[in-house]
Amino acid sequence: MNPNKRPDDMKRITTRELANAFIDEQIKAVREQVGSKKVLLALSGGVDSSVVAALLIKAIGKQLVCVHVNHGLMRKGESEQVIDVFEKGLGANLVYIDATDRYLSKLEGVSSPEEKRKIIGAEFIRIFEEEARGLEGIEFLAQGTIYPDIIESDGVKAHHNVGGLPEDLQFELVEPVKLLYKDEVREVGRALGLPSSMVDRQPFPGPGLGVRCLGAITRDRLEALREADAILREEFENSGLSKTVWQYFIAVPDVKSVGVKDGKRYEGWPAIIRAVNTTDAMTATIEEIPYALLHRITDRITKEVEGINRVCYDLTPKPVGTIEWE
Ligand code: XMP
């Protein structure tokens, strides 16, 4: 039997009962696989790694070592939520690494999207490697691989799984949700008691806000992007759109225009809203956001966010536009 093939008779996990049965089964399997050894997990705070973390904490408790690398390109409040939910809430063995300065200095002056992605990816491997070498007795690496990652091996996550560790630092993999589809991973996460803000979150690219702070990243523009994005998310939640729109975010280009604020000339960047619907991220259509809400978001972002003086709505479907700007 191919362990990477979902059995034809495997039931789709759509209820709490099925999720609980899956959890019990996996707890048993993980305990059998790892015994009393230690397992390392890169916990980004995304749905898949969060669900794997919660599942493994239940199965093996402190034998799991979670490493959360804050690359400084997280959305507002995300690293704090990882610490809150996993360390404070679930008592996880969590290593928190604030690598903001490291990433931002490596990225300084780099404007090519390809180059930025490469730097972000390589830096992650380096930090993770340093951490892994410093820890005693780790023999397993847990990953939030899910079934679509296996089927489309060049899929969305190809970029940010911890592939690429050096030859002398190889671990046996623990991948408890690798036969599940996303909706099933969410169901399991809910059954494990993870908050909806974590389980139902929209996809977020591995390189984070780095691909939305267009061109060479600067701290002030990154901060403006993070604040504008937080306002967009808040308004989408308040209006209920967060439940129906697949992905929505802000991009801030490295361009300034002239404006007026408090009666004075005010040069600022535009915040570009992207809100798309799709099933597989290969093609995407644009959400018809009500004008009243667009006005409200514009009003809040231009008033509340330092450095932003215009808000635009990107109406380009995919194709021609990709979902991200970089
Ligand atoms: P594009 O921009 O190619 O994005 O239309 C399709 C989907 O993939 C996400 N995306 C990424 N996810 N690492 C990721 O984990 C990445 O480097 C990356 N680039 C794009 C994007 O957010 C969208 O959901």
Side-chain angles (χ1 to χ4, degrees):
M1 206 181 77
N2 177 355
N4 285 337
K5 162 114 179 45
R6 186 175 166 116
D8 293 334
D9 59 355
M10 183 168 157
K11 258 204 210 148
R12 190 94 175 197
I13 300 171
T14 50
T15 63
R16 183 58 60 93
E17 288 70 38
L18 289 169
N20 284 334
F22 174 84
I23 292 166
D24 291 343
E25 208 176 87
Q26 287 305 316
I27 287 179
K28 208 162 144 252
V30 168
R31 285 183 182 156
E32 254 163 45
Q33 185 187 3
V34 307
S36 59
K37 304 279 169 43
K38 281 195 194 150
V39 181
L40 190 62
L41 169 74
L43 176 59
S44 66
V47 180
D48 307 332
S49 67
S50 295
V51 171
V52 167
L55 184 60
L56 293 187
I57 289 168
K58 207 161 179 190
I60 56 170
K62 302 266 189 214
Q63 280 167 255
L64 176 73
V65 183
C66 300
V67 177
H68 176 69
V69 179
N70 178 358
H71 50 24
L73 305 167
M74 309 288 280
R75 285 173 292 197
K76 188 172 179 174
E78 267 182 336
S79 282
E80 291 81 354
Q81 189 187 30
V82 168
I83 296 172
D84 251 19
V85 169
F86 289 98
E87 194 170 58
K88 298 196 183 130
L90 299 177
N93 204 344
L94 177 72
V95 181
Y96 170 75
I97 302 171
D98 183 356
T100 305
D101 290 341
R102 226 171 126 158
Y103 275 87
L104 294 187
S105 63
K106 281 255 152 71
L107 287 164
E108 210 175 306
V110 181
S111 57
S112 143
E114 288 291 298
E115 198 53 34
K116 285 165 72 180
R117 267 174 208 274
K118 262 195 221 140
I119 292 172
I120 295 169
E123 199 56 21
F124 183 79
I125 299 285
R126 215 163 296 138
I127 292 175
F128 196 76
E129 183 191 343
E130 282 168 20
E131 219 36 57
R133 286 196 197 282
L135 292 164
E136 288 285 306
I138 305 267
E139 293 189 19
F140 295 87
L141 181 70
Q143 292 204 135
T145 313
I146 67 173
Y147 205 45
D149 302 331
I150 292 180
I151 312 174
E152 328 142 9
S153 53
D154 63 343
V156 164
K157 219 173 319 171
H159 310 275
H160 78 165
N161 282 349
V162 193
L165 282 174
E167 283 284 319
D168 70 318
L169 195 69
Q170 294 297 325
F171 303 98
E172 184 177 327
L173 294 179
V174 179
E175 299 179 302
V177 299
K178 73 175 173 190
L179 296 183
L180 303 193
Y181 290 100
K182 197 79 173 190
D183 54 297
E184 299 179 287
V185 177
R186 294 198 157 114
E187 197 62 52
V188 169
R190 277 188 281 271
L192 286 163
L194 289 176
S196 163
S197 54
M198 196 159 242
V199 171
D200 299 312
R201 80 173 21 161
Q202 43 169 336
F204 186 56
L209 298 181
V211 294
R212 297 175 182 172
C213 189
L214 310 177
I217 298 169
T218 56
R219 285 180 193 251
D220 51 356
R221 198 154 50 85
L222 180 61
E223 199 44 38
L225 162 61
R226 190 173 353 250
E227 290 300 321
D229 181 69
I231 291 172
L232 181 76
R233 282 195 289 147
E234 197 180 308
E235 290 299 329
F236 266 46
E237 259 143 47
N238 293 343
S239 67
L241 279 179
S242 57
K243 292 203 175 64
T244 54
V245 180
W246 197 80
Q247 195 173 16
Y248 47 93
F249 57 85
I250 299 280
V252 178
D254 188 11
V255 171
K256 277 195 172 173
S257 70
V258 176
V260 186
K261 209 173 192 172
D262 304 326
K264 280 199 246 63
R265 181 184 167 101
Y266 187 90
E267 286 187 13
W269 305 288
I272 299 163
I273 302 172
R274 194 98 172 106
V276 300
N277 289 309
T278 174
T279 46
D280 56 8
M282 305 295 282
T283 62
T285 56
I286 299 303
E287 175 70 20
E288 305 222 339
I289 306 177
Y291 261 87
L293 181 60
L294 281 172
H295 283 300
R296 188 178 154 73
I297 293 168
T298 304
D299 190 53
R300 281 198 60 195
I301 292 180
T302 50
K303 279 206 180 99
E304 294 173 35
V305 183
E306 184 64 40
I308 301 281
N309 67 352
R310 283 169 206 261
V311 175
C312 306
Y313 188 23
D314 179 359
L315 291 177
T316 323
K318 176 181 180 175
V320 173
T322 45
I323 294 176
E324 302 291 344
W325 269 54
E326 282 189 345

